[in-house]
Amino acid sequence: MTSDSLAPLVLRNGARIENVLESALEFIEKDSSYRSYDLAAVAQDDVLTEADIRVANAMIARISPRVIAGTYARARVVNAALTQISTSASLVAPADEIPWPQLENLMRAVQGIPEVKLTRQTKVLHKKRPALIPILDSILEKYLRQVDGMRRTGDEAQYAVELIRSYKRELDAALPALQALRGELQCRGIDLTECRLLDLFLWGYSGTYAPLYSRPAEGAGMATPVESSAVLALPPVEEKAGARGDRAPLSGALNVGDLTVAELLALSRGSLRELKLRGVIRSGNAPAGDYAELLVQRATDGELATASQKSWDVLTPSDERLQVKARVITNERKNSERQLSSFRSWDFDAAIIVLFDDEFRVWRAARIPASVLREVAYYAQHVRGHTVYATDELLNRPDAEDWTERLREVER
């Protein structure tokens, strides 16, 4: 069977994937999660093991040993909930045959584990029931909320099940195409459930998010200052003298209202860089903090703190207090560019460290617990605060959670 003989996949948001086989094989070949996560051996039984939990890290769940231990401590309750759900349970079944109450009990069993939210919960549970539980990361959650107009509820387990019901509606609409694709992949020795196949299409091909392997500009490294200044093809701006020798309005000036947020930030960055070269300012970091806070607020659906709040910047729907630190990096080997603004209070739960490249695109981002930052910080008397450097060593720690993709998806 060729890719042309399989029917296109039409999603509820209007996206149409013509070559479903080609797209699925592209994901399998280029996204490492298939080899490291989908092919990882996890028993589809009623016993959650520490090894099962660790497999989620193969999909960048970044679950630290401490969080793995905290999750495993809930194993008895999770196992009891798993026993109520058949290992063959599938979203392909009619809606009235799906064990919705038992599924809610399972989601409730994993609620309240520190630092284990919906994305991590479903990355673990999907491997135990791969035909029933989708991987509800922020990209899929965003898609489902948009197509069904959903809003968060105060009951996280109930909200998770409502998302799965929405996912079921998506799966039903695309079921013939997904079943045909699954059969073709099985002939090639690749066995992914319809639930997982829909996940990869919503994640990478719905228009909600662009995977790294599909971004032509990615992988070329960070732009140099020379490259950066040429990114925006802006019209030349001339200055004319008025009759009295003063400056008249700029002729042919660009209409900033027509620029995207990314273009405005790039223009701002170029202006700041030139001002720094002329000795007018000492730092080119000016808009970074506010923009980083906005990205974190978008990514979490949280609330920005008021100006009077000095300890944290974003309050998430789960009442997690996040402080946001941002830097613009033009030379990743230059240590001084990694120095974050001082921490003058530890009255927050975690910090989101955002490193932008020279065009204000998210280069790296990570969530670091406050306890870890206190451990690596040193007190600087002259600023009366604690100093932390966003080194690769810090960002790559097991207890650091990678937020790069989460923030990239909400960039505009």
Side-chain angles (χ1 to χ4, degrees):
M1 185 178 291
T2 66
S3 60
D4 294 337
S5 62
L6 291 176
L9 181 66
V10 181
L11 302 176
R12 288 191 294 156
N13 72 344
R16 182 183 178 92
I17 298 98
E18 295 289 345
N19 299 314
V20 290
L21 179 59
E22 179 182 315
S23 298
L25 292 174
E26 178 185 42
F27 170 86
I28 289 166
E29 176 187 355
K30 296 182 178 179
D31 191 277
S32 62
S33 66
Y34 172 73
R35 295 181 296 277
S36 58
Y37 177 81
D38 291 299
L39 293 183
V42 171
Q44 294 167 31
D45 55 16
D46 304 329
V47 179
L48 181 69
T49 68
E50 287 194 64
D52 295 342
I53 300 167
R54 288 193 194 94
V55 167
N57 279 341
M59 197 182 276
I60 323 180
R62 300 285 179 137
I63 308 177
S64 68
R66 174 178 54 80
V67 176
I68 289 173
T71 305
Y72 184 62
R74 197 70 67 85
R76 183 179 61 83
V77 180
V78 174
N79 294 346
L82 284 170
T83 61
Q84 302 302 310
I85 300 175
S86 169
T87 56
S88 62
S90 171
L91 286 182
V92 171
D96 59 0
E97 295 181 13
I98 293 174
W100 297 113
Q102 292 81 5
L103 187 55
E104 183 174 327
N105 287 340
L106 177 59
M107 298 311 301
R108 203 169 297 285
V110 292
Q111 296 301 307
I113 303 172
E115 300 181 40
V116 180
K117 304 302 180 185
L118 188 60
T119 298
R120 286 176 168 177
Q121 292 165 8
T122 52
K123 283 181 178 180
V124 171
L125 294 177
H126 171 76
K127 293 292 289 185
K128 302 302 287 185
R129 298 293 184 270
L132 179 67
I133 301 175
I135 301 167
L136 296 173
D137 64 7
S138 59
I139 298 168
L140 263 68
E141 181 183 1
K142 177 181 179 181
Y143 174 90
L144 296 172
R145 290 179 65 178
Q146 288 177 338
V147 294
D148 278 334
M150 300 176 61
R151 298 184 66 85
R152 288 182 181 274
T153 66
D155 189 323
E156 291 298 316
Q158 190 177 72
Y159 173 66
V161 173
E162 286 306 308
L163 285 173
I164 297 174
R165 286 182 181 274
S166 174
Y167 195 87
K168 162 68 172 168
R169 291 190 286 273
E170 192 76 42
L171 187 141
D172 285 346
L175 189 56
L178 291 171
Q179 289 178 321
L181 174 60
R182 186 185 184 192
E184 175 59 24
L185 290 173
Q186 285 176 326
C187 292
R188 296 167 180 254
I190 301 168
D191 190 15
L192 295 173
T193 65
E194 290 87 356
C195 180
R196 178 67 171 121
L197 287 171
L198 179 59
D199 173 278
L200 72 87
F201 284 115
L202 294 184
W203 179 77
Y205 301 93
S206 68
T208 308
Y209 169 76
L212 292 180
Y213 59 75
S214 69
R215 301 180 189 181
E218 293 291 331
M222 294 168 54
T224 66
V226 173
E227 292 169 335
S228 300
S229 63
V231 170
L232 284 177
L234 301 175
V237 178
E238 299 177 357
E239 292 181 341
K240 293 185 178 180
R244 294 178 300 171
D246 56 344
R247 293 175 186 257
L250 295 176
S251 170
L254 62 91
N255 183 356
V256 294
D258 293 335
L259 300 181
T260 66
V261 171
E263 289 170 335
L264 285 169
L265 287 167
L267 179 61
S268 169
R269 178 63 181 158
S271 300
L272 291 169
R273 185 167 53 245
E274 182 62 27
L275 289 169
K276 185 177 180 181
L277 288 173
R278 298 185 188 192
V280 178
I281 60 175
R282 291 187 296 174
S283 170
N285 225 40
D290 289 343
Y291 186 46
E293 290 175 14
L294 178 62
L295 293 181
V296 173
Q297 182 272 323
R298 285 176 175 171
T300 61
D301 277 337
E303 296 180 8
L304 289 169
T306 62
S308 61
Q309 176 53 251
K310 303 301 182 183
S311 298
W312 49 267
D313 302 301
V314 176
L315 183 67
T316 73
S318 60
D319 291 329
E320 185 177 39
R321 301 162 302 166
L322 300 176
Q323 186 165 150
V324 181
K325 297 290 188 182
R327 292 289 292 177
V328 174
I329 307 296
T330 60
N331 182 346
E332 59 188 275
R333 296 181 179 85
K334 193 173 181 180
N335 196 48
S336 62
E337 293 193 2
R338 301 292 191 107
Q339 182 177 342
L340 304 175
S341 59
S342 298
F343 288 90
R344 294 186 171 84
S345 166
W346 298 109
D347 189 23
F348 60 93
D349 299 305
I352 308 301
I353 297 174
V354 186
L355 303 182
F356 294 106
D357 69 13
D358 207 35
E359 293 297 336
F360 270 103
R361 296 169 299 195
V362 175
W363 174 50
R364 294 196 66 179
R367 177 193 177 279
I368 315 261
S371 58
V372 173
L373 293 168
R374 292 191 72 169
E375 176 187 323
V376 301
Y378 68 89
Y379 186 74
Q381 180 63 43
H382 66 287
V383 295
R384 297 184 180 180
H386 288 82
T387 297
V388 173
Y389 286 82
T391 62
D392 290 341
E393 181 181 4
L394 175 62
L395 301 179
N396 293 333
R397 284 179 59 129
D399 37 17
E401 180 182 355
D402 190 352
W403 274 44
T404 305
E405 297 307 321
R406 187 168 181 175
L407 296 191
R408 280 177 176 172
E409 74 176 78
V410 294
E411 286 182 295
R412 293 289 186 270

